[in-house]
Amino acid sequence: MKRVWAIGLLFALVAFAAVKAEDELDVDGVVEEDFGKSRDASRTDDEVVQREEEAIQLDGLNAAQIKEIREKSEKHVFQAEVNRMMKLIINSLYKNKEIFLRELISNASDALDKIRLLSLTNDEAMASNEELTIKIKSDKEKNMLHITDTGVGMTKEDLVKNLGTIAKSGTSEFLNKMSDMQTEDQSTSELIGQFGVGFYSAFLIADKVIVTSKHNNDTQHIWESDSNSFSVIEDPRGDTLGRGTTITLVLKEEASDYLELETIKNLVKKYSQFINFPIYVWASKTETVEEPIEEDAEATEEPEKDAAEEEAEVEEEEEEDKEKPKTKKVEKTVWDWELMNDIKPIWQRPAKEVEEDEYKAFYKTFSKDSEDPLAHIHFTAEGEVTFRSILFIPTAAPRGLFDEYGSKKNDYIKLFVRRVFITDDFNDMMPKYLNFVKGVVDSDDLPLNVSRETLQQHKLLKVIRKKLVRKSLDMIKKIAEAQYNEKFWKEFGTNIKLGVIEDHSNRTRLAKLLRFQTSNSDTEVASLEQYVERMKEKQDKIYFMAGTSRKEAESSPFVERLLKKGYEVIYLTEPVDEYCIQALPEFDGKRFQNVAKEGVKFDESDKTKEKREALEKEYEPLTTWLKDKALKDMIEKAVVSQRLTNSPCALVASQYGWSGNMERIMKAQAYQTGKDISTNYYASQKKTLEINPKHPLIKKMLNTVKDESEDQTASDLAVVLFETATLRSGYQLADTKAYGERIERMLRLSMNVALEEQIEEEPEEEPEEEDPAEDDSEDKEEEEEIVDDDDEEETQTKFDKTEL
């Protein structure tokens, strides 16, 4: 019995050991160093082979070769500083892991550049492989990502030197920069690659990195690292690459998204679509192909035919079959290399060599816009910084152009360094008012991967900004006049006005781009240059009138005399217009004059001057009475007007006060609280009342005041005239109720209605008594409704039973 029990226990142990061997499969593909020791002695040879086969990491390596690599490879330890740097990269830089692909593709591009340059002096350099490409392939089953280039490759010595060590100065500088930026709490994710450490960004998403490389002067070698140490060994498969390098990343569990084809494609297009060499991704697509139909299947599908028909048609069918074999359409999934960067960096070519259609195609691809650009400029800037750029103006303004104006980041300008996309995350790459300009900037003078925060303060970036603004304004200036007025000004006119307000250094250039409606034309807009050309001989000021619409501006009492004398008046109809003109002290030596403010004077002869002075003396009793009695504390002064023709009077602001239009804009501000001292100062300033001495009402009032200065009707008339002038001049009344009551009083007097006569009151309606008969009828109707409902329920029940 004991012997049976011992044999049973032995079998149980063997079975347990076999199960444990399956459970302990090496997911990372590492063959244990103690494999085959006493604790594994119970494993059979078949189990060992199976486990090693599952540990294969690279295509073409069998179990024996994997074991040879593990046993015979040279083990190395990273330098102390490099090890420290690796920990910083892996543990600290989590903000932007996706840059690993940008760095590896950039390295592959450099390797391709090197072999291309070598081939210029050595015909044998590319003999093993004439192809210059970068290929990316994901393997979801093995959790691997492969990046292969046919570049110069690396020898065994290169692998140890380039991937295992870094120049002392570069590493030290990197670590110092990293420490400084971390103490300042800045983003450090873009530092990778700046000091030759771009390759190590692979460890942001990979547990293990395997590099297979073949150089023309050496055999093919494999470099492998888990970020703690690395090993190098000659590839037992021999020469499989011909020339070049394959980087294999064994991804971390949380980085599995980088195996998705869409993710890979998006990253390539985002960062590396303008690399000089073709980049391919191993991708699948569904194609519809025609396959020949087998004869047996065709025979079963065709219906049987009569013998007579078959004999008659046999010859025709034989001829048709010989000429056109019968096929059927079948959908198949096909895997092939898909080109990712078919767009060429046309900014690298001289502008003379680029066709107009190429610019349009590039713009549509680059900006994702379906329409052609309105204008473009292609230039190379040299001097303190050298860069190439292409800038575009879209045909239509982007949606939400002024949403979060000033705080929204501008992502329309893409910054490249040596054709590698760096960032479009800028606050001030372009000024706010040019936030509609799209384009690319490519510079070899900027560091490849400085952080965005450092780049914002980079002195070279400020030089680039200055040149971009100048070139943008040149591009706008060169747009044809008709196209500029019809398209550009309608879409981006507000931007130019904001530029006049914000950009002091380019204010003169921007002023020439302004367009406004004027009294010279009902439909066409005019530039300030055109206005100055049409000015009268002795006119020394540019006249403008602001309002909510053209109709309001041209019907204002302030423009009456100007239009009658043939002066051209600019109409400002948008809220930003008056701010814009206020920011312009002058244009072409001519100062601006708001016709709603003091200072409007006309060139007059001595005789005209004498007449005006005589009128002022004649109306002095009225102007004094208005200021001191009728409108005391309401106006600054009353004067005889030179600008009125048809209106009896107008309310004029001081030279530094608010016009009616500006007051309306300021009071409509969302943040207006009424507590701002400067706002209250401007709002409380008294205005000047200008009277028209030719108007019959003013003449009658003068006579009334001369006869009886205490006349109440004259005082009421003066107040009504003042309030009417306030409204016509664009201001708001402080007390609209009192104004309404005064108008009503004047209407009563004019229509001989007694002032004391009251409004006839409506008699109160007595509540109606309910008729009891009606109540009874309503109750009967309700009872009938209840009975009807019961009948319906009964009928429905019967119907249900019938169905059953």
Side-chain angles (χ1 to χ4, degrees):
M1 186 68 184
K2 287 182 180 181
R3 183 178 298 174
V4 173
W5 182 84
I7 293 171
L9 180 61
L10 182 61
F11 277 113
L13 288 172
V14 171
F16 177 75
V19 171
K20 188 175 181 182
E22 292 180 0
D23 292 342
E24 292 183 352
L25 286 177
D26 188 359
V27 178
D28 292 335
V30 178
V31 179
E32 298 171 359
E33 293 181 357
D34 60 347
F35 190 83
K37 291 186 179 179
S38 57
R39 66 180 183 85
D40 298 318
S42 59
R43 294 177 177 172
T44 65
D45 291 340
D46 290 339
E47 291 168 351
V48 173
V49 171
Q50 181 185 356
R51 186 174 186 279
E52 288 194 346
E53 284 177 351
E54 291 178 357
I56 293 174
Q57 294 180 331
L58 300 177
D59 296 336
L61 286 173
N62 56 37
Q65 289 171 333
I66 287 288
K67 188 174 181 181
E68 180 184 350
I69 289 175
R70 296 292 183 270
E71 292 175 353
K72 296 183 179 180
S73 61
E74 296 180 9
K75 306 295 190 298
H76 298 265
V77 178
F78 286 110
Q79 288 178 340
E81 275 193 325
V82 176
N83 203 28
R84 178 185 162 207
M85 178 202 65
M86 297 277 282
K87 289 178 180 177
L88 278 171
I89 290 175
I90 297 167
N91 299 322
S92 301
L93 309 182
Y94 288 106
K95 183 180 177 182
N96 194 11
K97 293 182 178 181
E98 65 184 29
I99 64 166
F100 82 92
L101 192 58
R102 179 189 76 184
E103 295 303 323
L104 296 181
I105 291 176
S106 297
N107 289 346
S109 176
D110 290 342
L112 290 166
D113 269 327
K114 289 177 182 177
I115 194 63
R116 184 170 57 83
L117 290 173
L118 286 173
S119 67
L120 297 177
T121 55
N122 182 4
D123 295 337
E124 300 297 323
M126 295 179 62
S128 57
N129 190 348
E130 293 186 359
E131 187 180 76
L132 294 176
T133 59
I134 300 170
K135 293 182 176 180
I136 304 171
K137 182 178 181 181
S138 68
D139 188 341
K140 291 185 180 180
E141 292 182 3
K142 296 182 180 179
N143 196 37
M144 292 179 181
L145 183 66
H146 308 278
I147 299 102
T148 302
D149 67 75
T150 57
V152 69
M154 287 180 279
T155 63
K156 178 182 177 182
E157 183 182 352
D158 292 336
L159 287 169
V160 174
K161 181 180 176 182
N162 296 342
L163 305 185
T165 63
I166 300 178
K168 172 75 174 177
S169 58
T171 308
S172 301
E173 192 177 346
F174 174 84
L175 295 172
N176 293 336
K177 189 71 175 178
M178 176 80 75
S179 302
D180 292 344
M181 293 188 69
Q182 285 182 335
T183 54
E184 294 172 10
D185 199 23
Q186 293 183 356
S187 168
T188 54
S189 60
E190 283 78 22
L191 279 175
I192 299 175
Q194 184 182 356
F195 304 103
V197 294
F199 168 77
Y200 300 101
S201 62
F203 287 104
L204 289 170
I205 54 99
D207 284 324
K208 184 176 294 181
V209 178
I210 303 164
V211 179
T212 307
S213 192
K214 170 67 173 71
H215 190 280
N216 286 336
N217 299 334
D218 200 353
T219 55
Q220 187 165 305
H221 284 77
I222 297 176
W223 179 98
E224 184 177 349
S225 174
D226 59 359
S227 80
N228 296 316
S229 61
F230 67 93
S231 61
V232 182
I233 191 174
E234 186 174 342
D235 194 335
R237 296 170 298 179
D239 182 2
T240 60
L241 294 175
R243 184 195 67 251
T245 301
T246 295
I247 298 176
T248 301
L249 309 179
V250 182
L251 299 192
K252 296 178 180 178
E253 186 177 348
E254 66 272 15
S256 58
D257 184 51
Y258 294 112
L259 292 173
E260 299 294 333
L261 280 176
E262 284 305 312
T263 304
I264 296 169
K265 289 180 180 180
N266 291 337
L267 289 180
V268 172
K269 288 179 179 179
K270 179 178 180 180
Y271 289 109
S272 307
Q273 65 173 333
F274 298 114
I275 292 291
N276 274 341
F277 302 99
I279 302 173
Y280 294 95
V281 171
W282 185 248
S284 64
K285 58 182 178 181
T286 304
E287 290 184 350
T288 303
V289 296
E290 292 191 355
E291 288 187 351
I293 301 175
E294 296 180 4
E295 293 181 2
D296 295 342
E298 185 181 349
T300 56
E301 290 174 4
E302 291 183 355
E304 293 183 359
K305 296 182 180 180
D306 296 337
E309 291 179 357
E310 287 180 0
E311 289 178 3
E313 295 177 2
V314 67
E315 292 182 1
E316 294 180 5
E317 285 182 2
E318 285 179 0
E319 290 179 1
E320 287 178 4
D321 290 342
K322 289 178 181 178
E323 292 176 1
K324 189 183 291 184
K326 293 187 177 181
T327 58
K328 61 179 179 180
K329 292 183 177 180
V330 179
E331 287 190 351
K332 282 190 174 183
T333 301
V334 181
W335 287 83
D336 199 358
W337 293 108
E338 183 179 341
L339 182 64
M340 290 288 102
N341 58 336
D342 53 346
I343 310 167
K344 300 302 179 185
I346 62 174
W347 65 82
Q348 295 287 335
R349 293 157 54 191
K352 295 178 181 178
E353 297 179 6
V354 184
E355 300 291 335
E356 191 67 24
D357 291 341
E358 291 183 273
Y359 285 119
K360 291 177 181 178
F362 174 76
Y363 169 77
K364 289 179 179 179
T365 308
F366 149 77
S367 67
K368 307 297 186 289
D369 194 347
S370 58
E371 297 184 27
D372 292 337
L374 185 63
H376 69 267
I377 188 167
H378 182 182
F379 63 96
T380 300
E382 295 178 346
E384 190 175 350
V385 59
T386 301
F387 67 91
R388 294 179 176 86
S389 177
I390 301 180
L391 301 178
F392 297 93
I393 296 175
T395 301
R399 186 176 297 175
L401 185 62
F402 296 105
D403 294 349
E404 304 174 32
Y405 181 74
S407 60
K408 189 177 181 181
K409 292 180 180 178
N410 183 359
D411 59 355
Y412 289 146
I413 302 295
K414 314 288 185 185
L415 178 65
F416 291 79
V417 174
R418 295 184 287 279
R419 297 174 305 282
V420 177
F421 173 71
I422 300 302
T423 184
D424 57 7
D425 187 8
F426 285 113
N427 289 323
D428 57 354
M429 184 65 165
M430 290 285 269
K432 293 180 290 184
Y433 69 92
L434 289 176
N435 59 355
F436 60 90
V437 177
K438 302 180 180 182
V440 296
V441 176
D442 191 351
S443 174
D444 292 348
D445 295 343
L446 285 173
L448 183 61
N449 286 315
V450 294
S451 68
R452 291 190 182 99
E453 291 82 357
T454 305
L455 195 56
Q456 294 282 9
Q457 305 302 323
H458 203 286
K459 64 178 183 178
L460 294 182
L461 194 65
K462 294 177 181 178
V463 177
I464 291 175
R465 171 194 164 105
K466 187 176 180 181
K467 292 188 178 182
L468 288 179
V469 173
R470 293 285 178 89
K471 289 295 183 180
S472 297
L473 297 183
D474 287 344
M475 169 174 54
I476 295 170
K477 185 180 178 180
K478 291 176 182 177
I479 299 175
E481 182 72 16
Q483 193 177 30
Y484 183 91
N485 295 341
E486 282 295 319
K487 295 183 178 179
F488 178 85
W489 187 253
K490 288 181 179 179
E491 296 291 334
F492 307 110
T494 302
N495 293 76
I496 301 301
K497 295 169 187 174
L498 290 170
V500 172
I501 299 169
E502 298 169 2
D503 193 349
H504 302 272
S505 60
N506 291 297
R507 185 167 287 163
T508 304
R509 292 182 178 85
L510 289 161
K512 293 179 181 180
L513 300 174
L514 291 172
R515 298 290 185 273
F516 296 106
Q517 297 184 58
T518 75
S519 57
N520 185 66
S521 173
D522 294 334
T523 56
E524 298 293 327
V525 292
S527 67
L528 294 177
E529 286 178 313
Q530 292 169 332
Y531 180 97
V532 171
E533 288 174 4
R534 293 193 292 258
M535 284 175 65
K536 284 182 170 288
E537 189 176 340
K538 293 184 179 181
Q539 182 182 344
D540 61 348
K541 291 183 180 178
I542 300 172
Y543 297 116
F544 68 88
M545 176 64 204
T548 55
S549 65
R550 180 190 174 104
K551 186 176 181 180
E552 179 187 322
E554 63 186 2
S555 61
S556 170
F558 298 117
V559 301
E560 291 174 355
R561 179 64 61 86
L562 289 165
L563 296 179
K564 187 174 182 180
K565 283 183 170 288
Y567 287 96
E568 186 175 358
V569 179
I570 294 174
Y571 298 133
L572 308 183
T573 57
E574 294 185 8
V576 73
D577 287 352
E578 198 165 350
Y579 288 101
C580 174
I581 295 298
Q582 286 178 358
L584 270 178
E586 62 179 27
F587 180 82
D588 199 15
K590 309 291 183 181
R591 298 189 68 83
F592 291 89
Q593 173 63 54
N594 189 338
V595 298
K597 292 185 178 183
E598 293 177 341
V600 177
K601 294 179 181 178
F602 302 102
D603 182 52
E604 55 186 3
S605 62
D606 293 338
K607 190 176 180 180
T608 307
K609 186 177 181 182
E610 287 177 7
K611 285 184 179 181
R612 178 176 55 80
E613 290 175 350
L615 277 174
E616 288 176 353
K617 190 173 183 180
E618 181 186 350
Y619 280 85
E620 189 174 350
L622 178 58
T623 56
T624 303
W625 177 77
L626 288 169
K627 179 182 182 298
D628 296 337
K629 289 187 178 181
L631 302 177
K632 187 179 181 181
D633 300 329
M634 299 171 72
I635 61 173
E636 180 67 26
K637 59 183 176 180
V639 297
V640 175
S641 177
Q642 294 186 57
R643 73 184 89 200
L644 299 177
T645 302
N646 301 320
S647 303
C649 56
L651 203 59
V652 180
S654 64
Q655 193 63 40
Y656 300 101
W658 280 346
S659 66
N661 184 64
M662 182 60 75
E663 182 182 79
R664 180 171 55 246
I665 292 170
M666 293 304 296
K667 288 185 176 180
Q669 297 295 324
Y671 58 80
Q672 183 62 250
T673 61
K675 297 178 182 180
D676 185 33
I677 297 174
S678 64
T679 301
N680 291 336
Y681 169 76
Y682 286 112
S684 62
Q685 277 193 340
K686 294 178 182 178
K687 316 295 189 298
T688 298
L689 181 69
E690 289 192 2
I691 59 173
N692 182 2
K694 304 291 179 66
H695 200 280
L697 277 176
I698 301 301
K699 289 181 178 180
K700 179 66 175 176
M701 189 180 291
L702 174 64
N703 295 331
T704 304
V705 170
K706 283 181 178 179
D707 296 339
E708 180 59 53
S709 61
E710 300 298 329
D711 185 62
Q712 183 61 38
T713 303
S715 296
D716 289 346
L717 178 61
V719 173
V720 170
L721 279 174
F722 167 76
E723 291 176 331
T724 305
T726 301
L727 292 173
R728 288 203 65 192
S729 301
Y731 296 100
Q732 294 180 349
L733 289 175
D735 190 350
T736 54
K737 182 182 178 184
Y739 174 70
E741 290 173 351
R742 270 187 287 275
I743 295 295
E744 183 188 343
R745 183 174 180 274
M746 294 185 68
L747 289 172
R748 281 174 179 262
L749 291 172
S750 65
M751 299 179 70
N752 296 321
V753 177
L755 297 175
E756 297 80 13
E757 188 174 342
Q758 300 295 319
I759 300 172
E760 183 180 345
E761 295 183 1
E762 294 183 6
E764 293 185 2
E765 295 183 1
E766 294 182 2
E768 295 181 359
E769 294 184 2
E770 295 181 358
D771 189 356
E774 289 182 1
D775 292 344
D776 293 342
S777 63
E778 287 179 1
D779 292 340
K780 287 179 181 179
E781 287 178 1
E782 289 179 2
E783 288 176 4
E784 287 176 2
E785 287 179 2
I786 293 169
V787 171
D788 291 343
D789 290 343
D790 292 341
D791 292 343
E792 287 179 6
E793 288 179 5
E794 187 175 352
T795 304
Q796 182 66 35
T797 305
K798 289 178 180 179
F799 180 73
D800 293 343
K801 288 180 179 179
T802 305
E803 285 187 333
L804 290 171

